[in-house]
Amino acid sequence: MSTGQRRDWRDVLRDGSDLALLGIVATLAAVPLVTAPAAVATASAALHDWLTDGSWPTARRTLRRFVRAVPAGIPVALLTLAAAGLLALDLAALARGAVPGGPPALLLTVVVTVALAGYAGLVVVAVGRTGGRGWRAAARTAAAESLARPARWAGVSGVCAVAALLALLVTPVAVPILAGYVLAACHAVARRPVRAEVTLEQP
């Protein structure tokens, strides 16, 4: 990301291309599924560096982060796949009417799914801040942030909901490109400054 004060269309185009490439590379690295958490953590760390320092990390540093993150990411991959599978089965059963509850239960499940996706987005942002390491610490940080700043949690959840809708609308080849933009949007929402509270002194 260019840190200069004056930016023109070339800067915007370059930033957009960088984010698209980030999404493509992260998607390719996540193809074996067990490496998906490592790919996401590495991409998040690279994006954090870009937003903070104005430059992307070197290829060597990125590869080192990815290799280091693979073992710790395997349990995360298994847990994520299990949770996603259960939610998908639940949504499918509710949509078919195979389980009681009807539209209210389906709507509640959708809301819970979106909220969980928002929490996962905050976890990804938190793990990116630590160089792609520490999933447990990132999960605790995201939980504390969700409770302390529910508006931020809701914002990231909204990003995930819009991303899911766009993923259904765009062609499959564009989904990896979308991934880079979604990750950037999660970071952007999570980095928004919190409005300071004004305390009124009682006379």
Side-chain angles (χ1 to χ4, degrees):
M1 179 176 62
S2 176
T3 57
Q5 294 182 353
R6 298 188 61 182
R7 291 168 54 81
D8 57 21
W9 65 271
R10 289 168 295 186
D11 297 312
V12 176
L13 181 61
R14 181 168 56 250
D15 292 347
S17 300
D18 289 342
L19 292 176
L21 181 60
L22 177 70
I24 293 172
V25 173
T27 301
L28 291 176
V31 167
L33 293 185
V34 293
T35 61
V40 172
T42 304
S44 182
L47 186 56
H48 175 72
D49 291 347
W50 181 63
L51 292 172
T52 304
D53 303 327
S55 61
W56 295 99
T58 63
R60 178 177 297 182
R61 186 180 186 187
T62 300
L63 181 60
R64 185 167 61 246
R65 282 174 170 173
F66 176 75
V67 172
R68 184 182 58 196
V70 169
I74 293 177
V76 178
L78 297 177
L79 179 61
T80 302
L81 287 173
L86 289 175
L87 283 172
L89 289 175
D90 191 20
L91 287 170
L94 287 169
R96 295 196 313 268
V99 294
L106 178 60
L107 178 61
L108 177 62
T109 305
V110 171
V111 171
V112 171
T113 301
V114 172
L116 289 175
Y119 169 71
L122 288 174
V123 173
V124 170
V125 172
V127 82
R129 294 171 181 162
T130 58
R133 304 180 67 178
W135 283 103
R136 289 184 180 179
R140 291 192 296 267
T141 299
E145 187 172 359
S146 297
L147 295 176
R149 302 180 178 90
R152 186 170 294 179
W153 180 14
V156 177
S157 299
V159 168
C160 294
V162 172
L165 179 60
L166 290 176
L168 295 175
L169 297 177
V170 301
T171 59
V173 72
V175 172
I177 298 174
L178 177 64
Y181 290 102
V182 172
L183 184 58
C186 289
H187 271 266
V189 173
R191 291 168 67 94
R192 286 188 308 174
V194 180
R195 185 173 57 184
E197 296 181 358
V198 177
T199 303
L200 298 178
E201 295 183 0
Q202 296 295 333

